[in-house]
Amino acid sequence: MKKIFLLTLLCAGLFSFAVNAKKTDTRYFEMRIYYCHPGRLDALIQRFTNHTTKIFEKHGMTNVGYWIPSNNTENALYYILAYPSQAARDSSWKHFGSDPEWRTVSKKSEETGKIVAKVTSVFMNATDFSPKIKPSGGPVDQVFELRTYTQLPGRNPAILARFRDHTMKIFKSHDIKNIAYFTTIEKDPTVQSKLVYLVAHPSEEAAKANWGAFVNDPKWKQVSTDSEKDGKIIEKIESIFMTPTTFSTIR
């Protein structure tokens, strides 16, 4: 009887592990930021709207989302792509770059001048607690917030545990919609990953009220205090409000 009981526990544990593993999105993600030459952002948007996203798909890239910062002083477009793996990513971009259709589109779109001045890439893995990333469609009726947390040395596990066990639930209670959570893949393996995540609010005005209610929530104050018994966790927080483009799969 004891053996049967232990076997049952083992099977239940394995099943639970399998379910959790299945929920984790194992794709290789890339956030790309295009900084345009003055007056050329509209040309970039048109190129993506009419051509680029479709050519991406042809070469096995998954369009996750496209956004324009609300305070866009750098003429930037932010977007996220997903690939089956890093190797697949490299192969896709190689074929994209040599695609005759893309070369024609690129040349024609730049007849009146270069469009992109600089490109920045951030490679990422989805966290094991990130919601499933799926197209939302519909009208644009919310504002997205991209937040990047730089942790103090050795404190990456602490921030992930806090979000996994507490923060996301408290966000939800204050109308802060959890969209996606990632950890960065750093070139130098000795450099600690950052936490990068997307949340959404009804508006920027609502976001201010949501964050005010969140930081004053007694549950959050207790969680914050408990999680920092061994020291502070966060070194720096960066936040950008963004509006999805008309062709973004996440709206």
Side-chain angles (χ1 to χ4, degrees), residues 73-139:
T73 57
E74 297 184 287
N75 300 308
L77 169 70
Y78 283 67
Y79 70 96
I80 297 176
L81 297 174
Y83 320 90
S85 65
Q86 181 180 356
R89 181 265 175 201
D90 295 343
S91 177
S92 291
W93 277 102
K94 180 180 178 180
H95 288 94
F96 171 82
S98 60
D99 187 312
E101 181 185 2
W102 163 245
R103 290 186 173 185
T104 299
V105 166
S106 179
K107 183 177 180 180
K108 186 171 181 59
S109 67
E110 295 187 339
E111 287 177 343
T112 56
K114 291 288 184 181
I115 294 176
V116 179
K118 183 177 69 171
V119 177
T120 298
S121 280
V122 179
F123 299 104
M124 308 181 296
N125 290 319
T127 67
D128 60 2
F129 53 83
S130 180
K132 183 178 180 181
I133 301 169
K134 55 185 178 181
S136 53

Side-chain angles (χ1 to χ4, degrees), residues 113-218:
K114 291 288 184 181
I115 294 176
V116 179
K118 183 177 69 171
V119 177
T120 298
S121 280
V122 179
F123 299 104
M124 308 181 296
N125 290 319
T127 67
D128 60 2
F129 53 83
S130 180
K132 183 178 180 181
I133 301 169
K134 55 185 178 181
S136 53
V140 177
D141 60 355
Q142 57 187 347
V143 170
F144 289 78
E145 185 178 2
L146 176 69
R147 293 173 68 87
T148 302
Y149 286 17
T150 301
Q151 291 79 244
L152 290 164
R155 300 297 278 155
N156 186 267
I159 192 64
L160 296 181
R162 190 164 77 183
F163 268 88
R164 182 188 300 110
D165 299 335
H166 305 287
T167 311
M168 290 177 65
K169 298 182 184 71
I170 305 175
F171 277 178
K172 189 175 181 180
S173 69
H174 293 292
D175 203 22
I176 301 173
K177 186 186 297 184
N178 297 293
I179 304 296
Y181 288 80
F182 308 94
T183 52
T184 60
I185 302 169
E186 303 293 334
K187 291 181 180 179
D188 183 348
T190 64
V191 175
Q192 183 173 237
S193 296
K194 296 181 178 68
L195 173 65
V196 176
Y197 68 94
L198 278 165
V199 292
H201 312 269
S203 65
E204 286 192 45
E205 292 73 22
K208 293 176 183 177
N210 293 345
W211 284 115
F214 169 78
V215 297
N216 288 302
D217 188 317

